Amino acid sequence: MVKFSREYDASIIPEWKPAFVDYKGLKKLIKKIKVARRDADDSSAGDSSPETAAGVESVGYGGGFSMLDPVRALAARFAPRVQATSEDEESGDSGEFVRSTDKHEREFLEKADEELEKVNTFYAAQEAELLGRGEALIDQLRILADVKRILDDHAATRHARGSLLGRSRSMRAVAPPSPALSNSGRYLLSGLATPQSMSDGSVELQQAQMTEGAAVADEVMAALERNGVSFVGLPGKKEGSGRGGRLQLPSTVRIDIPASNPGRAALKVWEELVNVLRKDGAAAFVHRKKVQHAEKNIRDAFMALYRGLELLKKFSSLNVKAFTKILKKFVKVSEQQRATDLFSQKSKRSSFSTSNKVLQLSDEVESLFLKNFAGNDRMVAMKYLNPQRPKNTHMITFLVGLFT
């Protein structure tokens, strides 16, 4: 059977190794307690034989010794131990930790208390960070859904308008020309085909696309702001609209993206999307690629969050098991049952042992990923969230050794 210390060392997360409980250090203190108690027992056994011999000699021969000398020696020997026991009982009644008179036992309890505080502090910090990341990514998922809806509605409106325009053009092409305009038709067509008229139509088309794109961009920006995103720059103004006017592209807007934001990559994509919409509202292909890029960034961020949650759950379970094992060893060696019970209760009340926020967030992340990125297929979702590492084989090592 593999010893727990070896299993514990193999399971420790390398990046978090200093935050784990120092199991080996606590075991060394227990060994010191064991050695000290064994030495004390040996010394007490060695001291008892001379006293007994002296007592027998005084009783047998009565040479200058009193009959009460052995009784006095026994009373002097056991008096300090009784007094120490009474002091321990008084400290236990006051609700404080029972401190052993042995310095090694007291050193173990102090060291274990420091390790418990270290583990608890690290767990609380990691838990707060992961909860913040989860909240930010859930907001990003809402933004993704809102942007998809806005762009889909915009595409559907453009498609319906294009179909209506195409139908009206086909009806005009089928209708016969008016007699009044038959003689002057070529002059009318030649007038529409002049470079000046084509230039004016192009300007008007670009102006219409920019106006339409700006309206969609405003909707996207409103969706972002509803989910806590703030903009640094203000939208630019359009000048010179109409025939012969001069188009001026709007200024670039920027999103305030904190360095610690887990959805930083997705926010950068939304910033690019807003600027593209405000400059060219007709680039549907570009818009679709931006949304796909943002969706991939959010999916990767959810995968990283889920793995972080799994690591923190492993950190919690390993430390709980380590404290349980080391306290069992301590109570066998020191027989300080009350001190062990009090410390065990304190460990069980700690946040790394009792908090269920990480478990709840892990379940929520799994559910959201299953719905939004895996098509409600659990096998596909777990393939992304919890990929199985390939098993290490020793075939190459075997072949190299064989040929060597």
Side-chain angles (χ1 to χ4, degrees):
M1 184 176 179
V2 180
K3 290 185 177 181
F4 173 74
S5 57
R6 194 179 305 169
E7 177 187 349
Y8 179 74
D9 290 340
S11 303
I12 283 179
I13 303 166
E15 296 81 359
W16 296 351
K17 186 174 182 179
F20 279 82
V21 59
D22 186 8
Y23 189 79
K24 286 185 177 180
L26 293 174
K27 275 187 68 176
K28 288 180 181 179
L29 292 177
I30 289 177
K31 189 174 182 180
K32 286 184 179 180
I33 296 171
K34 187 186 294 186
V35 172
R37 289 180 68 87
R38 185 179 60 202
D39 293 344
D41 292 340
D42 293 342
S43 62
S44 62
D47 292 342
S48 61
S49 55
E51 292 174 358
T52 305
V56 171
E57 185 178 355
S58 62
V59 171
Y61 299 100
F65 293 98
S66 171
M67 295 287 294
L68 299 177
D69 284 345
V71 178
R72 294 192 185 100
L74 288 173
R77 179 181 171 186
F78 287 103
R81 186 174 300 177
V82 173
Q83 183 179 1
T85 304
S86 62
E87 290 176 357
D88 289 345
E89 291 176 354
E90 290 176 1
S91 63
D93 294 339
S94 64
E96 298 177 355
F97 276 63
V98 179
R99 298 296 184 183
S100 172
T101 54
D102 186 82
K103 69 174 184 177
H104 297 302
E105 295 177 10
R106 186 166 57 249
E107 184 181 358
F108 173 86
L109 291 173
E110 292 174 353
K111 173 70 174 175
D113 197 53
E114 291 176 2
E115 292 296 312
L116 179 64
E117 185 66 24
K118 177 187 72 175
V119 171
N120 204 34
T121 302
F122 180 83
Y123 181 87
Q126 291 295 320
E127 183 186 56
E129 180 185 350
L130 290 173
L131 292 176
R133 286 171 59 186
E135 185 177 355
L137 288 177
I138 291 172
D139 289 341
Q140 286 294 318
L141 203 57
R142 293 196 194 99
I143 292 173
L144 178 65
D146 289 345
V147 171
K148 279 184 174 182
R149 177 185 54 79
I150 292 169
L151 294 180
D152 288 344
D153 294 345
H154 171 60
T157 302
R158 290 192 61 192
H159 180 71
R161 188 167 60 243
S163 300
L164 183 60
L165 183 60
R167 193 179 304 115
S168 63
R169 285 177 179 175
S170 63
M171 291 176 64
R172 285 199 303 269
V174 172
S178 174
L181 298 176
S182 59
N183 294 329
S184 60
R186 62 178 181 273
Y187 299 107
L188 179 62
L189 291 176
S190 62
L192 291 174
T194 57
Q196 179 63 34
S197 62
M198 291 179 63
S199 176
D200 293 343
S202 176
V203 170
E204 290 178 357
L205 179 61
Q206 290 182 13
Q207 188 66 52
Q209 290 177 356
M210 287 179 57
T211 304
E212 186 178 4
V216 179
D218 290 340
E219 292 186 38
V220 173
M221 291 173 66
L224 292 168
E225 290 175 344
R226 282 196 303 269
N227 290 281
V229 178
S230 58
F231 288 87
V232 178
L234 296 176
K237 296 181 180 180
K238 298 182 287 294
E239 297 180 359
S241 60
R243 179 173 298 187
R246 183 173 56 88
L247 286 175
Q248 179 179 346
L249 294 178
S251 60
T252 303
V253 298
R254 291 191 301 109
I255 295 177
D256 184 15
I257 308 176
S260 59
N261 195 311
R264 182 180 179 86
L267 286 173
K268 200 69 180 174
V269 176
W270 298 137
E271 180 181 279
E272 295 172 0
L273 176 62
V274 169
N275 289 313
V276 169
L277 282 169
R278 297 176 68 239
K279 292 178 181 178
D280 185 7
F285 178 76
V286 177
H287 305 161
R288 186 166 61 251
K289 295 296 289 184
K290 293 291 183 186
V291 172
Q292 290 175 356
H293 190 194
E295 187 171 5
K296 181 182 180 299
N297 289 332
I298 295 172
R299 185 195 65 189
D300 294 344
F302 265 101
M303 291 165 55
L305 174 63
Y306 186 83
R307 290 166 190 166
L309 293 169
E310 291 298 308
L311 287 177
L312 194 58
K313 287 193 288 185
K314 181 181 179 181
F315 176 84
S316 172
S317 61
L318 276 176
N319 282 286
V320 168
K321 193 172 182 180
F323 276 115
T324 304
K325 292 282 187 181
I326 204 68
L327 288 177
K328 285 182 179 179
K329 292 180 180 292
F330 174 71
V331 76
K332 285 181 181 179
V333 172
S334 66
E335 299 179 357
Q336 293 290 334
Q337 186 65 51
R338 181 165 176 77
T340 307
D341 291 343
L342 289 172
F343 188 86
S344 179
Q345 292 174 10
K346 183 178 180 180
S347 174
K348 291 177 180 178
R349 289 194 300 266
S350 300
S351 61
F352 77 92
S353 179
T354 60
S355 178
N356 60 351
K357 294 179 181 179
V358 171
L359 294 175
Q360 292 176 355
L361 181 58
S362 179
D363 293 340
E364 186 176 4
V365 168
E366 187 176 329
S367 176
L368 290 172
F369 194 92
L370 183 67
K371 179 181 177 182
N372 294 277
F373 303 107
N376 290 322
D377 190 335
R378 183 170 180 79
M379 292 184 64
V380 174
M382 297 314 297
K383 181 180 178 181
Y384 283 103
L385 293 175
N386 193 17
Q388 298 294 329
R389 294 182 179 178
K391 295 182 179 179
N392 296 326
T393 60
H394 301 283
M395 182 59 67
I396 296 177
T397 306
F398 170 74
L399 293 175
V400 170
L402 179 64
F403 285 112
T404 302

